[in-house]
Amino acid sequence: DQQVKQNSPSLSVQEGRISILNCDYTNSMFDYFLWYKKYPAEGPTFLISISSIKDKNEDGRFTVFLNKSAKHLSLHIVPSQPGDSAVYFCAAAVASGTYKYIFGTGTRLKVLA
Amino acid sequence: DVKVTQSSRYLVKRTGEKVFLECVQDMDHENMFWYRQDPGLGLRLIYFSYDVKMKEKGDIPEGYSVSREKKERFSLILESASTNQTSMYLCASSPHLGGESGANVLTFGAGSRLTVL
């Protein structure tokens, strides 16, 4: 049973436009969420996080929104740049729990110049 | 900067061989993790360790074992490699508590791509 789902395997966006990557989760105990970016042949790098006490967190061009009632989070990238082309993973955990992060299957973003 | 170093970027092994994947972190983190990444399956947790000599099974521990004799080093062992263990293996570390919520941000190594023939 996939507790964290990224239903879009891929997404193409024009440079300068907004990229929206979505993530759904089923476990209502999750209260901490992270987004990672991964380039080929490299390890994932941390992008941004959000805890369940917030519904929005911003860091430069990246904003994460959390809708707890819908068990849904999204990552917005504005404006999108060609260097943003990568695979994006969302991950969820119970903050006071067992240190186990559950990752989604990833969305491959391609930003077209 | 937190650094997680995986000793081998690319390995090719034969079925039945014993394989060691080594991971070292230099930030005194308590937690260390081994994931594998496969297309369409995302990152799946194999084992993790929250202290020296402590280990916990993740979601897919079958066919793997781990060793953590020192805080900075976490090894993944494939006792008898099989072709279905061909994958990208990712090591990560984190402090016990961090961030505003008390949860942990994982820092990953560059990965070890293992091919089992």
Side-chain angles (χ1 to χ4, degrees):
Chain A
D1 180 32
Q2 192 78 18
Q3 296 187 65
V4 178
K5 300 177 185 178
Q6 293 176 258
N7 291 319
S8 299
S10 63
L11 174 68
S12 291
V13 172
Q14 207 66 35
E15 181 180 8
R17 305 293 293 268
I18 184 171
S19 296
I20 300 176
L21 296 98
N22 295 303
C23 181
D24 297 293
Y25 60 97
T26 57
N27 188 343
S28 58
M29 296 295 292
F30 289 145
D31 57 2
Y32 194 65
F33 305 88
L34 304 94
W35 283 94
Y36 281 82
K37 177 170 75 173
K38 186 180 185 301
Y39 294 118
E42 293 183 15
T45 54
F46 171 71
L47 266 180
I48 193 168
S49 64
I50 189 167
S51 72
S52 58
I53 61 173
K54 293 185 173 181
D55 54 17
K56 177 182 174 182
N57 190 26
E58 286 182 84
D59 185 0
R61 295 187 298 114
F62 301 92
T63 303
V64 57
F65 296 91
L66 176 62
N67 182 334
K68 291 184 287 293
S69 60
K71 296 191 181 70
H72 176 83
L73 65 154
S74 60
L75 175 69
H76 293 210
I77 307 172
V78 184
S80 300
Q81 299 173 354
D84 296 329
S85 297
V87 178
Y88 289 78
F89 293 98
C90 64
V94 177
S96 60
T98 59
Y99 315 109
K100 282 178 64 174
Y101 281 83
I102 306 297
F103 281 80
T105 52
T107 296
R108 183 177 301 278
L109 173 66
K110 188 171 184 178
V111 180
L112 307 169
Chain B
D1 280 356
V2 176
K3 193 167 181 181
V4 178
T5 303
Q6 296 183 228
S7 55
S8 303
R9 293 296 307 272
Y10 300 94
L11 303 93
V12 179
K13 298 291 182 181
R14 298 215 172 267
T15 302
E17 280 193 79
K18 190 168 186 176
V19 182
F20 292 89
L21 299 178
E22 304 286 341
C23 176
V24 177
Q25 51 95 5
D26 64 1
M27 289 304 291
D28 202 35
H29 282 173
E30 289 82 6
N31 305 326
M32 296 189 76
F33 306 80
W34 276 106
Y35 287 86
R36 62 178 283 178
Q37 183 199 358
D38 300 288
L41 297 176
L43 276 66
R44 294 180 293 165
L45 181 63
I46 304 170
Y47 267 96
F48 66 103
S49 169
Y50 53 88
D51 203 348
V52 176
K53 296 191 186 293
M54 304 302 289
K55 59 185 179 185
E56 293 280 346
K57 292 180 180 179
D59 299 316
I60 51 165
E62 296 79 19
Y64 304 94
S65 61
V66 290
S67 172
R68 192 159 181 208
E69 296 297 318
K70 294 184 177 181
K71 189 175 186 180
E72 67 270 18
R73 188 179 297 269
F74 193 35
S75 303
L76 180 69
I77 303 152
L78 287 66
E79 293 289 342
S80 177
S82 63
T83 55
N84 63 12
Q85 292 178 310
T86 292
S87 186
M88 168 71 87
Y89 289 88
L90 294 160
C91 176
S93 73
S94 73
H96 260 319
L97 292 174
E100 58 187 299
S101 70
N104 314 294
V105 172
L106 300 175
T107 300
F108 283 89
S112 299
R113 179 161 293 283
L114 171 66
T115 301
V116 183
L117 302 175

